């Protein structure tokens, strides 16, 4: 019967927390982009209405200046031109919508890669809880992102949490020590490599 140690389960939970933080950041960025898209959509609709009114007003003014008496053939041609203008306006609106959808998808993808680059380039703090001589692949998973599994020759270190400030990491270390991880310590990382071991307090 399979058995999961409490420390392994805790590490899995920390991985889930990291993924949650990344997802929250991405969702915030998506909300911001959606607000911008709504604003541009309103502006586009207002511009479309004003343009339509301007076209209709111009056509009415042109018809009025041309005189009241026109042949039925001339009126038919004018109505065909209006229908043609309306159809081409609908085609342009459809193209704009398609471009906006593509832009939104590209923005989401771009925001994801920006968040990933942030984690890889910025100095972060994490609490190291375990060191192994062999690469223990069972502790790492692509779906759990709130952990660091780094190689420091000849050892492999396993750290929990990704914190922007040293104070957050120290607070988390204090909680882990109270849970039984007496040897846990805070280390700073940049580009996935450990820079230094930080003071515990």
């Amino acid at each position: 019967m399979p058995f999961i140690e409490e420390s392994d389960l805790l590490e899995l939970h920390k991985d889930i927390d990291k993924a949650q933080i990344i997802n929250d950041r991405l969702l915030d960025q998506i909300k911001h982009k959606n607000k911008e898209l709504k604003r541009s959509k309103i502006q586009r609709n207002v511009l479309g209405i004003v343009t339509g009114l301007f076209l209709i007003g111009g056509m009415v003014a042109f018809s009025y200046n041309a005189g009241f008496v026109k042949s039925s053939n001339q009126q038919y041609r004018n109505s065909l031109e209006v229908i043609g203008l309306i159809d081409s306006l609908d085609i342009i609106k459809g193209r704009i919508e398609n471009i906006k959808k593509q832009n939104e998808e590209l923005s989401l993808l771009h925001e994801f890669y920006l968040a990933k680059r942030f984690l890889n380039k910025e100095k972060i703090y994490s609490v190291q809880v375990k060191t192994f001589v062999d690469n223990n692949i069972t502790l790492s998973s692509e779906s759990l992102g709130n952990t660091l599994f780094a190689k420091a020759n000849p050892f492999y270190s396993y750290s929990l949490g990704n914190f922007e400030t040293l104070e957050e990491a120290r607070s988390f270390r204090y909680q882990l020590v109270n849970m039984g991880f007496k040897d846990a310590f805070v280390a700073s990382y940049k580009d996935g490599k450990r820079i230094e071991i930080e003071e515990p307090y």
Side-chain angles (χ1 to χ4, degrees):
M1 181 165 151
F3 177 76
I4 298 176
E5 292 185 9
E6 184 175 332
S7 62
D8 293 341
L9 183 60
L10 179 63
E11 291 168 357
L12 291 176
H13 282 289
K14 299 306 174 186
D15 289 342
I16 292 169
D17 290 342
K18 179 182 175 187
Q20 185 74 27
I21 290 170
I22 292 171
N23 284 338
D24 290 343
R25 288 180 185 163
L26 291 174
L27 286 174
D28 288 341
Q29 292 172 354
I30 289 169
K31 286 178 186 176
H32 177 71
K33 288 294 181 183
N34 282 339
K35 286 180 183 177
E36 289 178 2
L37 286 175
K38 284 181 183 177
R39 191 178 319 121
S40 66
K41 187 175 182 180
I42 290 171
Q43 290 173 350
R44 184 207 51 181
N45 289 341
V46 168
L47 180 64
I49 290 170
V50 169
T51 304
L53 290 175
F54 181 78
L55 287 173
I56 292 171
M59 289 173 29
V60 167
F62 178 78
S63 297
Y64 183 79
N65 289 336
F68 293 105
V69 180
K70 291 185 178 184
S71 69
S72 63
N73 192 16
Q74 183 64 30
Q75 289 176 353
Y76 178 72
R77 281 190 222 150
N78 286 343
S79 63
L80 285 178
E81 287 178 12
V82 170
I83 292 171
L85 289 174
I86 292 172
D87 285 346
S88 44
L89 184 61
D90 289 337
I91 291 170
I92 291 171
K93 284 181 182 179
R95 286 181 183 167
I96 289 172
E97 287 298 321
N98 285 339
I99 290 171
K100 283 187 178 186
K101 286 179 185 176
Q102 291 173 354
N103 188 25
E104 185 176 330
E105 292 171 359
L106 289 174
S107 293
L108 292 175
L109 188 61
H110 179 69
E111 296 299 330
F112 171 76
Y113 282 109
L114 283 178
K116 190 170 183 176
R117 256 190 254 145
F118 168 77
L119 288 176
N120 288 338
K121 300 260 177 180
E122 296 296 320
K123 181 177 180 180
I124 60 170
Y125 300 93
S126 188
V127 180
Q128 183 171 326
V129 293
K130 203 85 161 163
T131 302
F132 301 97
V133 175
D134 295 324
N135 186 359
N136 192 346
I137 297 175
T138 59
L139 294 176
S140 64
S141 171
E142 289 294 325
S143 63
L144 302 174
N146 200 16
T147 59
L148 287 174
F149 198 66
K151 181 176 182 182
N153 286 332
F155 301 103
Y156 294 89
S157 62
Y158 193 71
S159 299
L160 299 175
N162 292 320
F163 303 99
E164 293 180 9
T165 66
L166 182 58
E167 290 76 26
E168 291 174 319
R170 285 177 175 162
S171 172
F172 184 63
R173 177 202 169 270
Y174 179 75
Q175 293 173 6
L176 288 175
V177 167
N178 288 338
M179 291 170 52
F181 292 93
K182 302 294 183 198
D183 295 331
F185 59 88
V186 177
S188 56
Y189 293 85
K190 187 170 184 176
D191 295 325
K193 295 179 183 175
R194 185 167 71 195
I195 299 172
E196 65 180 311
I197 296 173
E198 304 291 338
E199 292 294 323
Y201 304 105

